[in-house]
Amino acid sequence: MDSADSTQPTTSGLVVGTAEQYRWLHGIVKTVLILNLLDALFTLLWVRWGVAREANLLVESLVNEHAIGFVLVKTALVGMGSWLLWEKRQYPAAVIAIFIAFLAYYWVVLYHLQYAGHVVRQLWG
């Protein structure tokens, strides 16, 4: 990703963002990438332990048979999507999509952490 600059488009239409807002948004995009990686690692853990299965049928075989491939595909896809949204950050729809991605991964990782707490309580309880 490039730096969080304040480049404004020259086309007409609704645009958003100041340099400060773009710095915050850049941090949110980076957080999405980290949360996505955590989701991938937790998913591998739960699938390998036999307590869950991958819900996305397109990558289910990767999770079960090619862990590294799964992580690479998942991080590449989310990375490319994040890059595309970052490139279009001056448009409100892209900013909204970035926040939706953040919220989705935030809740997914919270769910993983809640389940991890449940597993730890079962092991030590």
Side-chain angles (χ1 to χ4, degrees):
M1 282 193 207
D2 60 7
S3 64
D5 61 23
S6 61
T7 305
Q8 295 290 328
T10 57
T11 60
S12 63
L14 183 61
V15 294
V16 297
T18 65
E20 180 68 20
Q21 291 166 336
Y22 284 152
R23 278 191 290 279
W24 277 94
L25 191 63
H26 194 248
I28 291 169
V29 171
K30 288 178 183 178
T31 303
V32 167
L33 298 174
I34 292 167
L35 292 172
N36 174 56
L37 181 60
L38 288 171
D39 175 38
L41 296 175
F42 273 119
T43 298
L44 284 174
L45 180 69
W46 306 139
V47 170
R48 297 296 170 143
W49 283 4
V51 296
R53 72 176 201 80
E54 172 59 41
N56 183 342
L57 298 177
L58 297 174
V59 295
E60 183 179 25
S61 67
L62 282 175
V63 172
N64 294 320
E65 300 167 21
H66 306 286
I68 294 172
F70 166 70
V71 173
L72 290 175
V73 167
K74 184 167 175 45
T75 55
L77 290 174
V78 173
M80 287 187 293
S82 296
W83 174 80
L84 178 63
L85 291 172
W86 178 252
E87 288 296 307
K88 300 298 181 185
R89 66 191 174 273
Q90 66 272 18
Y91 298 104
V95 173
I96 291 168
I98 289 169
F99 277 99
I100 289 171
F102 169 77
L103 289 173
Y105 277 107
Y106 178 78
W107 285 109
V108 166
V109 170
L110 283 180
Y111 182 79
H112 282 303
L113 291 172
Q114 179 184 15
Y115 188 73
H118 172 75
V119 168
V120 168
R121 282 189 300 275
Q122 292 295 318
L123 292 173
W124 291 340

